[in-house]
Amino acid sequence: MAETTSRTATRSIDTTNRSGSLGSDEQPASTQKITIAKALNLGLRTAMERDPKVLLLGEDIGKLGGVFRITDGLQKDFGEQRVMDTPLAESGIIGTAVGLAIRGYRPVCEIQFDGFIFPGFDQIVSQLAKLQFRTQGRVKMPVVIRVPFGGGIGAVEHHSESPESYFAHTAGLKVVACGNPVDAYWMIQQAIASDDPVLFFEPKRRYQDKAELDTSVQPIPLHSSRVLQEGSDVTVVCYGPMVRTCTDAARVAAEEGHRVELIDLRSLSPLDLNPVFESVRRTGRLVVVSEAPGQSSITSEIAAQVQQHCFYSLQAPVLRVTGFDTPYPPTKLEEEFLPDLERVLDAVERSLRW
Amino acid sequence: MSSPEYWTKPWPSSSAEKPPPPGSNQAAVAARPTAEQVIAGLRATSEGGPDLVQLLTPEGERVTHPHFDLDITPEELRSLYRDMVLVRRTDRECNALQRQGQLGIWVPLLGQEAAQIGAGRAMRPQDMAFPSYREHGVAWCRGIDPTDLLGIFRGTDHGTWDSQEKRFHPYTIVIGNQVLNAAGYAMGQRLDGKVGDGHQDDAEATIVFFGDGATSQGDVNEGFVWGAVYDAPVVFFCQNNQWAISEPMERQSRIPLYQRASGFGFPGIRVDGNDVLATLAVTRWALEECRSGNGPVLIEAFTYRMDAHTTSDDPTRYRLSDELEAWKLKDPIERVRVHLVRSQFADADFFAQVDAESDALAERLREFCINMPTPPADRIFSHVYSENSPVLDQQRDEFLDYLSKFEHAGGAL
């Protein structure tokens, strides 16, 4: 950061159990307080109950319930044929899911960690993404690939990456990221119901974040972004694990008199940017936040699109707060690498000062 | 199926001499194969080894095999001959069309007709096939008109047949990808209860085709693992045509490919891939093993690519003409022709009729090819996703609008 900030004290702010401002103070009878991890588990269970063609495939997802316990109890209830503990090979998991989809199944693959998806990359971009186009719609690919992604959990190398831009760059794939328990519950079901292949990114360091889930409230479409908080001074766009970071930043900014309009993208491909354009036309300022490296990324796409569509509305250049264009660092440095509340607020301030 | 001595006796042994150290003056000398290496190479590519299953010799004589035999009528024999001739003619015509600029590229199957017709004819209608990109003969057996292959190579489409209806997956260009897809499909057949006793009438199997080069790919090995641990009804059908573009077999494996199966826990069989009867018998057996729940099975069809890898390739740069000459003597079609004549199963009229049919097919292919329309520009945007895509719709509309300006100006695109 070229500019310094006086807000170092806020680093210690208590942000536990605060998710994307979707809950309300009053709890309707049909709601339950639920973590992202449990919401995903519940969403998977609901999808499997609804459609016998839904299968889960992955390493350690059966008895163990997955390394993050997202599939906990599902093998016990649905059997080994519907919750398959697979051999340890990601290309095999995805390549056989492609075959199962051709056969009429709806496989949901779990990739244990983000950095392990690359052995399966070829099957994803060469077959999964292209079969529908190649066959002109005669073959559908209703496959979901769940990827716990992002850093902040103190893990070793290859366990903290944000590879979503590789997949958003590939036509034929859809890419989404949930940022709170309510979206986790609904979006996983919507992704499974989709006839297109969906890369489903889960913010692993937020798995234990809680929020109220009211299952009687119908969800918005899977590929819609959502305005989490309205504001008139500056627009902040984020997704996945950055939703909570930016929610906290927006709250601190409000305390200091800056009204942030906060948008959770939710869908990274296709991008639903109309709400972003509308917001920027009102605020004139945009900060895009992601922990993925910025180069040739989701954030650079948004910056390009906003300058194209909102050129005359911009009061400041689009600013980005991202991970650096480096490999993910060793754990003791990840707090420096990951965008935090301070860096987001710094960018908001710079945008406002422009 | 394999003899234990294979594990102690290297075969083929073409690497007896250690390579010279890098940078040594011997490097230039050693780059030329020694006489022993040439002989070993010829052995590796021309001899199938003692475990080769054969029912019809290159001289056209019917022989027996203790485990695999075939009860076949003269009519069926003639039908196999006809298939191979028509498929070869399709291949030669398409090769010519490429040379004349009508196809962008062609992938010749010359020499592999028996492997493909034998395997293709072993399938039941309900079985599913996953090809790579050379399986024109298998496509023929699945009832796909040869004209349906042209779009891929003329560049008008990625394959126009209905893969679900024909039960023949689209061609797969990336080496080995389809092996995993096939293993997954076969897992689905098992989940659907289409395998095993009590389901014999509607029992199903999957067969996947790949080459010797593909056996080096991770996906093929992962496909073997998945097939084995899930008891998937999948026949892994490797057409070992000896060359992966310019890379010979010795760049893929130290042991015969069929022996790899034992390391994965299922049977591996080497069949004379230039013998349509042996290929038919072995594949029929393997598919039945799968349908009854004893899969998977690996078949190595020992054959030879008589032409280039594709029309972009120049095999004279990397292989010996002696090798080609040796394999010409094992031609898959000639041996059936000789057998039909010797056994008086076919007369001159039959051969003339097949030749005439072959000429007519070639003419039809040519006419179809040169008249194939270029698809409209909006084909670029069609069926990328299963549902409407506003982003792509906008890109399409803008592009079509841009193109229309040229049309209004009278320009041709």
Side-chain angles (χ1 to χ4, degrees):
Chain A
M1 294 273 102
E3 299 173 49
T4 56
T5 171
S6 60
R7 215 176 273 106
T8 49
T10 58
R11 272 188 190 281
S12 60
I13 189 168
D14 176 16
T15 55
T16 50
N17 292 345
R18 189 181 297 115
S19 64
S21 70
L22 288 168
S24 67
D25 292 331
E26 291 184 3
Q27 295 183 20
S30 61
T31 67
Q32 54 179 313
K33 198 159 193 178
I34 192 171
T35 63
I36 286 182
K38 183 62 186 168
L40 289 166
N41 180 275
L42 202 56
L44 288 168
R45 177 179 290 278
T46 307
M48 293 184 80
E49 283 168 350
R50 190 183 303 128
D51 185 350
K53 292 292 187 184
V54 175
L55 306 175
L56 310 189
L57 294 83
E59 299 158 7
D60 307 308
I61 66 170
K63 286 196 176 79
L64 184 67
V67 289
F68 293 106
R69 310 293 185 264
I70 305 302
T71 54
D72 194 25
L74 296 179
Q75 190 183 62
K76 180 172 160 288
D77 294 338
F78 293 97
E80 293 183 3
Q81 293 202 329
R82 293 193 63 194
V83 182
M84 295 189 205
D85 274 321
T86 66
L88 267 71
E90 286 73 15
S91 190
I93 294 170
I94 295 157
T96 52
V98 168
L100 283 160
I102 295 166
R103 183 68 191 183
Y105 286 89
R106 306 185 86 85
V108 183
C109 307
E110 176 175 305
I111 297 298
Q112 213 158 62
F113 285 91
D114 34 58
F116 303 164
I117 200 168
F118 300 109
F121 192 83
D122 175 30
Q123 282 285 348
I124 296 173
V125 300
S126 301
Q127 302 306 324
L128 187 64
K130 296 190 171 71
L131 265 167
Q132 184 159 243
F133 180 71
R134 193 179 298 152
T135 62
Q136 284 294 277
R138 290 186 295 266
V139 175
K140 305 285 185 201
M141 277 290 116
V143 177
V144 174
I145 301 176
R146 295 180 36 239
V147 191
F149 83 125
I153 63 164
V156 294
E157 200 182 5
H158 308 297
H159 288 66
S160 305
E161 299 177 11
S162 301
E164 59 271 21
S165 296
Y166 291 108
F167 304 101
H169 190 66
T170 300
L173 301 177
K174 291 185 169 176
V175 185
V176 302
C178 58
N180 62 65
V182 177
D183 278 349
Y185 174 75
W186 287 115
M187 287 172 73
I188 189 64
Q189 295 180 64
Q190 292 169 319
I192 292 168
S194 170
D195 279 339
D196 290 315
V198 180
L199 274 290
F200 192 91
F201 284 92
E202 301 169 0
K204 70 166 89 81
R205 71 165 140 153
R206 309 297 192 207
Y207 271 145
Q208 298 311 314
D209 280 11
K210 283 187 176 176
E212 301 299 330
L213 169 67
D214 180 354
T215 54
S216 68
V217 176
Q218 286 305 300
I220 62 172
L222 179 62
H223 299 294
S224 300
S225 54
R226 187 204 301 264
V227 179
L228 294 181
Q229 176 182 304
E230 292 183 354
S232 54
D233 293 341
V234 56
T235 305
V236 173
V237 168
C238 59
Y239 61 90
M242 287 295 106
V243 171
R244 193 174 111 184
T245 303
C246 293
T247 304
D248 292 335
R251 187 171 50 79
V252 174
E255 287 166 5
E256 299 181 358
H258 305 311
R259 289 161 295 181
V260 169
E261 177 137 315
L262 183 61
I263 298 178
D264 179 0
L265 285 173
R266 301 169 78 254
S267 179
L268 309 181
S269 178
L271 282 163
D272 175 26
L273 290 183
N274 283 332
V276 178
F277 298 154
E278 286 168 21
S279 177
V280 171
R281 284 179 192 125
R282 277 186 284 106
T283 64
R285 302 169 200 281
L286 176 64
V287 174
V288 191
V289 185
S290 162
E291 64 182 70
Q295 180 175 296
S296 306
S297 66
I298 302 289
T299 56
S300 40
E301 172 67 17
I302 293 170
Q305 294 245 18
V306 166
Q307 70 81 23
Q308 184 179 342
H309 291 274
C310 309
F311 185 72
Y312 291 107
S313 304
L314 285 169
Q315 303 295 313
V318 177
L319 298 180
R320 294 188 289 156
V321 184
T322 69
F324 303 114
D325 296 321
T326 67
Y328 197 84
T331 305
K332 295 296 184 193
L333 293 172
E334 68 180 341
E335 275 193 34
E336 307 303 323
F337 178 92
L338 293 168
D340 60 4
L341 180 136
E342 296 298 337
R343 281 172 62 193
V344 176
L345 287 172
D346 177 76
V348 166
E349 223 167 57
R350 280 190 289 135
S351 180
L352 288 166
R353 281 207 307 266
W354 205 275
Chain B
M1 305 294 298
S2 62
S3 161
E5 69 181 321
Y6 272 116
W7 300 103
T8 53
K9 188 178 72 174
W11 189 101
S13 72
S14 57
S15 55
E17 293 185 6
K18 287 183 179 175
S24 126
N25 288 337
Q26 296 174 39
V29 178
R32 304 179 65 177
T34 64
E36 288 77 13
Q37 284 175 324
V38 169
I39 292 166
L42 279 171
R43 272 191 59 212
T45 58
S46 63
E47 296 176 14
D51 286 351
L52 188 78
V53 178
Q54 192 176 69
L55 296 178
L56 189 64
T57 70
E59 293 77 29
E61 289 175 17
R62 274 287 259 135
V63 291
T64 58
H65 188 277
H67 302 303
F68 301 100
D69 206 359
L70 196 64
D71 208 7
I72 193 161
T73 65
E75 188 185 353
E76 286 170 325
L77 265 174
R78 287 193 297 270
S79 170
L80 292 170
Y81 173 84
R82 173 180 171 272
D83 283 346
M84 291 196 290
V85 169
L86 293 180
V87 162
R88 176 172 289 187
R89 186 56 182 266
T90 298
D91 179 70
R92 292 300 84 193
E93 187 62 29
C94 289
N95 213 61
L97 284 166
Q98 192 281 332
R99 294 301 187 221
Q100 293 161 17
Q102 296 297 335
L103 295 178
I105 194 170
W106 180 247
V107 187
L109 70 60
L110 189 69
Q112 298 179 227
E113 296 88 351
Q116 295 193 16
I117 298 299
R121 286 293 175 219
M123 296 177 71
R124 286 186 189 170
Q126 68 265 33
D127 294 334
M128 182 72 180
F130 283 79
S132 62
Y133 43 70
R134 200 189 297 280
E135 275 66 67
H136 319 316
V138 185
W140 171 266
C141 295
R142 299 310 283 168
I144 291 164
D145 194 274
T147 54
D148 266 327
L149 305 173
L150 293 174
I152 304 167
F153 301 104
R154 193 168 165 90
T156 59
D157 221 305
H158 294 318
T160 48
W161 63 88
D162 186 332
S163 57
Q164 304 284 40
E165 182 206 332
K166 299 293 185 184
R167 305 189 73 70
F168 185 76
H169 190 66
Y171 277 5
T172 302
I173 310 292
V174 179
I175 302 296
N177 274 182
Q178 76 278 10
V179 178
L180 274 170
N181 304 156
Y185 189 89
M187 288 164 65
Q189 289 173 316
R190 177 171 277 284
L191 288 172
D192 287 346
K194 298 293 186 184
V195 174
D197 296 337
H199 295 284
Q200 291 308 302
D201 287 343
D202 67 345
E204 295 183 31
T206 295
I207 183 167
V208 56
F209 296 88
F210 52 97
D212 40 294
T215 63
S216 298
Q217 287 277 357
D219 274 12
V220 175
N221 290 274
E222 289 179 33
F224 290 171
V225 172
W226 253 259
V229 302
Y230 291 105
D231 297 323
V234 55
V235 175
F236 300 109
F237 194 97
C238 174
Q239 290 174 84
N240 175 2
N241 69 14
Q242 314 299 333
W243 293 92
I245 307 189
S246 70
E247 303 293 351
M249 255 308 297
E250 65 184 26
R251 282 285 173 272
Q252 318 296 338
S253 183
R254 288 180 70 168
I255 62 166
L257 295 173
Y258 72 99
Q259 291 183 12
R260 287 193 177 177
S262 66
F264 293 92
F266 48 82
I269 300 143
R270 174 176 274 185
V271 64
D272 182 345
N274 283 24
D275 174 354
V276 72
L277 300 187
T279 311
L280 176 63
V282 168
T283 313
R284 200 176 266 174
W285 170 82
L287 286 166
E288 195 50 39
E289 281 288 281
C290 287
R291 290 190 206 99
S292 57
N294 293 326
V297 175
L298 170 65
I299 297 173
E300 178 192 359
F302 196 78
T303 182
Y304 191 75
R305 162 164 59 77
M306 298 294 286
D307 204 340
H309 166 70
T310 71
T311 44
S312 300
D313 173 33
D314 177 8
T316 64
R317 281 174 170 248
Y318 55 80
R319 66 186 186 188
L320 299 166
S321 58
D322 281 2
E323 189 180 302
L324 189 64
E325 293 306 315
W327 276 94
K328 278 183 183 169
L329 301 174
K330 302 180 177 191
D331 188 87
I333 298 181
E334 272 311 299
R335 70 174 76 178
V336 178
R337 175 193 277 270
V338 169
H339 178 60
L340 285 170
V341 171
R342 275 194 189 150
S343 311
Q344 297 186 317
F345 288 159
D347 56 17
D349 283 352
F350 167 74
F351 293 113
Q353 184 190 324
V354 172
D355 286 347
E357 198 179 349
S358 161
D359 287 344
L361 174 60
E363 194 177 327
R364 185 163 70 85
L365 266 172
R366 167 171 298 275
E367 189 181 344
F368 185 92
C369 181
I370 59 181
N371 289 317
M372 283 174 83
T374 299
D378 61 2
R379 165 67 175 80
I380 295 169
F381 303 92
S382 68
H383 293 289
V384 178
Y385 297 99
S386 65
E387 56 190 15
N388 188 39
S389 167
V391 173
L392 291 186
D393 289 350
Q394 187 184 341
Q395 283 186 16
R396 179 198 59 214
D397 292 347
E398 287 176 3
F399 185 55
L400 294 180
D401 183 51
Y402 165 77
L403 290 182
S404 71
K405 293 169 188 165
F406 293 87
E407 285 162 7
H408 288 153
L413 288 172

